């Protein structure tokens, strides 16, 4: 891979649009106050849509700009598009919820845009400093978003927990970056890889890699840095939980993959051991801890922990095929998660939102279309063919087997069977239990998100080649 430095802002055009747009939205909000909420919400959706289009149609590819700190390659395009789509869908799902809960504020949409800008910078980072700046921009906005419902004790608690643990993880990541710099004398990923190709790995480098991976694991809520996830998922307002579960996971996994693939390709043995441990621990916790959950948002929290573990199985392979599996897994995971949260946001009785899994009883008789799509998404999350989730796991397990990581693939398969229990329990409640409540009609945004994500999840096997080709191109650009 040969990067060409361009004295142009073109590669960063989506980020520039988001940054300038966010400043304009701040001015509109400051001048109009809460009367600007609807206008700011609409403009924020427009900004995210425009950024998605720009990242897909930009005529430049595999370029480095700003002194090599910013990269635009196929991997960045793929992951940015997913992050922008996740942010767009989560923002669209939130408007009706916040209006009914009486805490609609114009600041929320601006914070989502700023957080998404941080994600884009993380995904395109070419060195450790750019990576940290993007990470902090994303995190600072997320801390406020998690606690934006100031009158709700649970939301305030969620924001505080995320802030405290997030600050700790950022410190660990920064310490790891300093150790890597001390061991290699470089901060650019390509320069770090070049330095490591000519010498032995030192103890400082190994500790640096461990601390870096610890920071990454927190951002993707992987074990043992998952402790914030169930409480924040349950405490934060539901559309914000959808944002945490989709867009932020994409950015975190993209950051994880890029750093270990580009900066440490010659010391795969050192970081693979850590990734394998994190993957197995995440899959195990996600499979067993969710079994006794009664709150559906907590169940989705443990589900996300498990799915990040499965995605890391592909990364542990350390090959283009493994990264391709990770890219496909993340794309399918985002689709399944957004569809699930569209249904969770539709669990509404009048203006009251419910979160108990038992409230889904008899949904097949009161809302058959919603029940069918939700059941298919649950089958997909469980990895049952021919749903998209089956192919997501197939790609990462196949990559692990081809690299000789047979125990990891077998453990992943067994834990996938265990995890299927709680997904199938939801299907059983939907179709075989007697109805206790009837939910209010779905909003237009929820219908659209559920239709698109459900259609993708159910019909992916019919024509998978566009996604697999894009993921293969993304993976090759890192090697």
């Amino acid at each position: 891979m040969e990067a060409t430095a361009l004295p142009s802002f073109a590669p960063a055009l989506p980020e520039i649009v988001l940054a300038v747009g966010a400043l304009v939205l701040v001015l509109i909000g400051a001048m109009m106050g809460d009367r600007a909420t609807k206008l700011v919400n609409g403009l924020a959706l427009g900004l995210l849509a425009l950024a998605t289009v720009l990242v897909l149609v930009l005529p430049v590819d595999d370029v480095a700009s700003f002194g090599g700190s910013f990269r635009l390659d196929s991997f960045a395009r793929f992951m940015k598009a997913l992050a922008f789509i996740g942010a767009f869908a989560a923002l669209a799902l939130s408007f009706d919820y916040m209006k009914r809960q009486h805490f609609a504020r114009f600041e929320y949409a601006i914070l989502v845009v700023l957080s998404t800008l941080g994600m884009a910078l993380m995904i395109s980072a070419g060195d450790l400093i750019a990576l940290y700046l993007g990470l902090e921009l994303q995190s600072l906005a997320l801390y406020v978003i998690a606690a934006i419902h100031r009158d709700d004790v649970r939301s305030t608690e969620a924001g505080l927990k995320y802030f405290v643990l997030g600050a700790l993880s950022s410190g660990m990541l920064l310490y790891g970056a300093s150790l890597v710099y001390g061991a290699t004398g470089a901060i650019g990923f390509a320069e770090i890889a070049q330095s490591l190709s000519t010498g032995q790995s030192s103890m400082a480098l190994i500790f640096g890699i461990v601390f870096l991976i610890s920071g990454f694991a927190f951002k993707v809520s992987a074990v043992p840095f998952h402790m914030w996830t169930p409480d924040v998922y349950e405490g934060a307002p539901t559309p914000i939980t959808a944002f945490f579960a989709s867009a932020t996971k994409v950015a975190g996994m993209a950051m994880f993959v890029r750093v270990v693939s580009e900066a440490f390709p010659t010391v795969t043995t050192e970081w693979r051991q850590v990734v394998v441990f994190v993957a197995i621990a995440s899959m195990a916790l996600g499979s067993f801890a969710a079994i006794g959950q009664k709150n559906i948002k907590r169940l989705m929290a443990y589900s996300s922990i498990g799915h990040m573990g499965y995605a890391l199985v592909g990364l542990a392979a350390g090959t283009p095929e493994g990264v391709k599996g990770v890219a496909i897994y993340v794309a399918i995971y985002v689709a399944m998660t957004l569809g699930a949260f569209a249904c969770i946001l539709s669990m509404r009785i009048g203006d009251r939102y419910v979160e108990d899994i038992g409230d889904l009883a008899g949904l097949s008789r009161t809302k058959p279309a919603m029940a069918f799509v939700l059941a298919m998404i649950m089958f997909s999350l469980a990895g049952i063919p021919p749903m998209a989730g089956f192919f997501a796991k197939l790609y990462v397990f196949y990559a692990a087997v081809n690299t000789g990581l047979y125990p990891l693939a077998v453990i992943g398969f067994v834990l996938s069977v265990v995890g299927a229990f709680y997904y199938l329990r939801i299907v059983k409640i939907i179709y075989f239990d007697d109805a206790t409540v009837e939910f209010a009609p779905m909003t237009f945004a929820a219908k659209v998100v559920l239709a698109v994500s459900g259609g993708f999840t159910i019909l992916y096997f019919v024509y998978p080649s566009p996604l697999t080709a894009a993921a293969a191109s993304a993976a090759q650009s890192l090697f």
Side-chain angles (χ1 to χ4, degrees):
M1 180 179 61
E2 202 172 305
T4 307
L6 292 178
S8 169
F9 294 106
L13 197 56
E15 287 79 6
I16 293 170
V17 166
L18 290 177
V20 174
L23 294 176
V24 172
L25 295 183
V26 170
L27 288 175
I28 293 173
M31 289 187 294
M32 297 178 60
D34 286 338
R35 293 181 293 114
T37 302
K38 285 187 177 180
L39 176 60
V40 169
N41 289 345
L43 291 175
L45 284 178
L47 282 173
L48 292 171
L50 178 59
T52 306
V53 172
L54 286 174
V55 81
L56 293 174
V57 304
L58 276 175
V60 288
D61 201 4
D62 196 13
V63 297
S65 54
F66 303 102
S69 295
F70 188 90
R71 296 282 305 281
L72 180 65
D73 50 22
S74 296
F75 182 77
R77 287 175 182 271
F78 187 92
M79 290 298 188
K80 281 184 192 177
L82 283 181
F84 292 163
I85 290 169
F88 181 92
L91 187 58
L93 287 171
S94 65
F95 299 150
D96 183 75
Y97 179 94
M98 293 193 165
K99 182 180 177 182
R100 293 180 185 277
Q101 295 295 298
H102 307 295
F103 69 101
R105 298 185 179 91
F106 73 87
E107 295 96 333
Y108 168 66
I110 299 173
L111 288 167
V112 170
V113 171
L114 288 173
S115 178
T116 308
L117 170 60
M119 295 177 203
L121 293 174
M122 284 165 52
I123 293 169
S124 282
D127 60 44
L128 293 171
I129 292 178
L131 177 75
Y132 188 72
L133 289 175
L135 177 66
E136 285 305 290
L137 177 58
Q138 176 211 15
S139 299
L140 288 173
L142 290 179
Y143 298 150
V144 182
I145 290 174
I148 199 165
H149 194 181
R150 291 174 295 190
D151 298 328
D152 184 12
V153 175
R154 293 197 311 166
S155 178
T156 306
E157 179 186 351
L160 184 60
K161 286 181 178 178
Y162 187 59
F163 170 71
V164 172
L165 295 173
L168 174 65
S169 76
S170 292
M172 294 174 68
L173 192 148
L174 196 58
Y175 183 57
S178 68
L179 288 174
V180 171
Y181 173 70
T184 62
I187 58 170
F189 300 153
E191 290 76 13
I192 291 172
Q194 186 177 2
S195 173
L196 295 178
S197 66
T198 57
Q200 295 289 328
S201 58
S202 63
M203 187 62 67
L205 174 72
I206 294 173
F207 272 100
I209 293 174
V210 170
F211 276 104
L212 277 177
I213 292 178
S214 299
F216 299 155
F218 177 89
K219 296 305 175 185
V220 299
S221 65
V223 177
F225 305 97
H226 66 286
M227 65 288 292
W228 61 274
T229 315
D231 292 335
V232 173
Y233 272 45
E234 182 182 9
T238 306
I240 294 171
T241 304
F243 183 56
F244 273 88
S246 55
T248 62
K249 291 294 192 294
V250 174
M253 190 58 70
M255 168 179 68
F256 205 148
V257 172
R258 184 180 288 280
V259 173
V260 299
S261 299
E262 290 194 338
F264 308 117
T266 58
V267 289
T268 304
T269 305
E270 281 80 352
W271 60 257
R272 176 181 284 160
Q273 300 173 47
V274 183
V275 172
V276 167
F277 166 76
V278 170
I280 293 175
S282 299
M283 291 187 294
L285 184 90
S287 296
F288 288 102
I291 291 176
Q293 299 302 320
K294 295 183 179 180
N295 184 291
I296 194 164
K297 287 165 67 178
R298 287 187 75 89
L299 183 142
M300 291 301 296
Y302 287 111
S303 171
S304 74
I305 293 169
H307 281 287
M308 291 301 102
Y310 292 115
L312 289 174
V313 170
L315 179 59
T319 60
E321 186 180 45
V323 174
K324 170 189 170 184
V326 174
I328 293 173
Y329 200 105
V330 170
I332 293 174
Y333 168 78
V334 167
M336 296 186 297
T337 299
L338 290 173
F341 274 97
C343 293
I344 294 170
L345 279 162
S346 300
M347 294 171 62
R348 177 170 55 86
I349 306 167
D351 284 341
R352 183 173 63 92
Y353 290 85
V354 293
E355 300 172 0
D356 195 287
I357 294 173
D359 291 320
L360 290 169
L363 185 67
S364 61
R365 289 180 283 282
T366 57
K367 292 196 176 305
M370 174 181 165
F372 173 76
V373 178
L374 180 58
M376 293 302 104
I377 290 173
M378 290 299 132
F379 281 133
S380 184
L381 286 167
I384 296 174
M387 299 296 111
F390 166 76
F391 295 97
K393 291 179 180 177
L394 178 66
Y395 284 117
V396 293
F397 289 161
Y398 185 73
V401 168
N402 281 352
T403 316
L405 299 174
Y406 302 109
L408 180 60
V410 171
I411 292 171
F413 175 77
V414 172
L415 291 174
S416 183
V417 174
V418 174
F421 169 80
Y422 57 84
Y423 296 120
L424 297 182
R425 182 167 68 95
I426 294 177
V427 177
K428 174 257 181 189
I429 290 171
I430 291 173
Y431 277 93
F432 297 104
D433 287 9
D434 294 329
T436 55
V437 297
E438 184 170 351
F439 298 137
M442 296 181 73
T443 63
F444 175 76
K447 287 179 180 178
V448 172
V449 171
L450 186 60
V452 174
S453 62
F456 174 84
T457 302
I458 296 168
L459 300 176
Y460 170 77
F461 74 96
V462 175
Y463 190 49
S465 56
L467 179 61
T468 54
S473 176
Q476 288 296 335
S477 69
L478 291 183
F479 293 84

